[in-house]
Amino acid sequence: MASAAEVEYTLRGVTQDMRDDGRGRLDFRSISIDVGLFPQCAGSARVQLGSNDVLVGVVAELDEPDAATPSAGRVTVTVSLGPSEISLSSFGGADGGGTQWLEEALAPLYSHSSIPSALDALCIVKHVQCWHLRVHAQLLQCDGCPLDAISLGVKAALQHTRIPKTSVGPAAGGVAGGAAGTAGGAAQLDLDLDENLDESIPFEAAGLPAYVTLATVGSHLVADISAKEMPAVGASLSLAINVAGDVCGIRMAGDFGVNVLLLADMLQTARQLVTELLAAATSAIDAAAAAALARGFPHADGATTWPPQGLRPIAARGNMAAATSRATTPSDAATSCTRGMGEDEGEGKA
């Protein structure tokens, strides 16, 4: 619990546009991005936004499209905490409530209304088969803005995700991936996955939105609030915005509601910030992908074939099992993340 003197110090610093770490009111902390951490995953990333630390892995499996979007694939995101003790009391409560709050806040960002073209590209046969990207984010450390860090981590992992090129055999009428099909022909569905890594298809991540959290401290708006500054916050609003400036999600935190007179100013400020944030993140992700390629990813031990180990068809129409095998890494946190996405028998080195 912060003392009255600490809160007053934060308020005065924000008033003078000089926060205790040297940032201005609308400055972000440093961002560190790495990709290609788990060869067993279709995509993976680690993002550090200040002291926020997020590890993300993506697993691709075959599934049936949702009835509401029969010609589109699916992206679902789950969140877990650890291995250190993390408090999410300002974000939906502790003991799992916080992770549910985070998952519900992230879900609209990857719905068909937010990224229609990216999900349409995941469809193999309309009404019958599509790619389902299961994303698991592990929040290793939380320092004020978990949604901002997790949305960047998911964007980095999905931008690095590669999906096997898929074609449908003659038994299904010769339809290629993404073409229309009928449920009646599902029993005859004959899928062919191209094991050539060079032919794999990147996920269309350019349009993915990201969260920007703005907080009111005194009479000022402050971006990328830290945990140390939280006691001085009146209200906090997280807005998910894409490169076109469209709002894809809104979540409120903090002890007080947002003054309706501030909403327009918050939205305009968030749009300006997210443009800079996404541009910087995209450049950092591209640089991290180049570094991963230079060190041999995904041609590392345990990843000499494509699709990744554990991806196997179990029925003509059934799902494709896509559990990651346990990764042997220098960090227990990294190992814990792969377990959160599901384990398969066998060992591999990350």
Side-chain angles (χ1 to χ4, degrees):
M1 186 69 180
S3 66
E6 290 173 318
V7 173
E8 180 64 22
Y9 175 79
T10 300
L11 288 170
R12 289 189 178 184
V14 168
T15 300
Q16 298 173 18
D17 200 19
M18 178 61 69
R19 296 153 78 175
D20 66 343
D21 56 5
R23 291 183 292 150
R25 288 190 287 265
L26 299 180
D27 292 339
F28 285 90
R29 290 167 285 184
S30 61
I31 302 174
S32 172
I33 298 178
D34 193 14
V35 299
L37 304 175
F38 303 117
Q40 301 89 345
C41 294
S44 57
R46 183 173 187 174
V47 170
Q48 294 170 297
L49 175 60
S51 294
N52 293 292
D53 196 352
V54 182
L55 197 61
V56 183
V58 181
V59 170
E61 67 178 35
L62 291 176
D63 205 345
E64 294 184 10
D66 284 334
T69 54
S71 60
R74 301 162 64 187
V75 175
T76 55
V77 180
T78 56
V79 180
S80 64
L81 308 180
S84 59
E85 184 177 347
I86 296 175
S87 173
L88 292 176
S89 56
S90 299
F91 307 98
D95 300 328
T99 57
Q100 181 181 352
W101 185 87
L102 292 171
E103 290 173 357
E104 291 175 351
L106 292 164
L109 277 62
Y110 314 105
S111 65
H112 194 263
S113 59
S114 296
I115 50 170
S117 61
L119 294 183
D120 288 344
L122 296 178
C123 183
I124 300 171
V125 178
K126 187 177 180 180
H127 292 287
V128 180
Q129 201 93 83
C130 69
W131 284 107
H132 185 175
L133 301 184
R134 296 189 182 273
V135 184
H136 183 74
Q138 185 161 21
L139 187 61
L140 304 177
Q141 189 171 343
C142 179
D143 187 18
C145 294
L147 278 177
D148 299 19
I150 294 174
S151 64
L152 284 179
V154 173
K155 176 179 174 60
L158 286 175
Q159 187 168 326
H160 186 251
T161 294
R162 296 296 183 271
I163 304 165
K165 186 177 180 180
T166 310
S167 59
V168 181
V175 232
T182 61
Q188 300 177 352
L189 191 62
D190 181 19
L191 296 183
D192 181 26
L193 301 184
D194 193 335
E195 295 186 4
N196 185 355
L197 188 63
D198 295 331
E199 297 296 327
S200 59
I201 303 170
F203 180 77
E204 186 182 326
L208 290 178
Y211 265 108
V212 169
T213 299
L214 292 173
T216 58
V217 178
S219 58
H220 300 281
L221 292 180
V222 178
D224 191 19
I225 203 82
S226 68
K228 187 177 180 180
E229 296 170 318
M230 285 295 289
V233 170
S236 176
L237 190 67
S238 298
L239 298 104
I241 302 175
N242 60 21
V243 289
D246 301 323
V247 178
C248 303
I250 299 178
R251 278 297 184 274
M252 188 173 65
D255 297 328
F256 303 95
V258 177
N259 189 325
V260 68
L261 298 178
L262 288 176
L263 285 177
D265 190 20
M266 293 179 105
L267 179 57
Q268 181 180 2
T269 303
R271 281 177 169 153
Q272 295 172 349
L273 292 176
V274 82
T275 300
E276 301 171 7
L277 181 63
L278 288 175
T282 299
S283 299
I285 295 167
D286 290 340
L293 186 62
R295 67 174 183 257
F297 184 90
H299 304 288
D301 292 344
T304 56
T305 61
W306 184 259
Q309 217 172 12
L311 215 55
R312 56 186 183 273
I314 57 177
R317 191 188 174 190
N319 292 347
M320 178 170 287
T324 61
S325 55
R326 183 179 294 114
T328 304
T329 68
S331 167
D332 290 340
T335 301
S336 179
C337 180
T338 59
R339 290 174 181 169
M341 290 179 290
E343 291 183 345
D344 193 14
E345 295 180 358
E347 299 288 332
K349 294 182 180 180

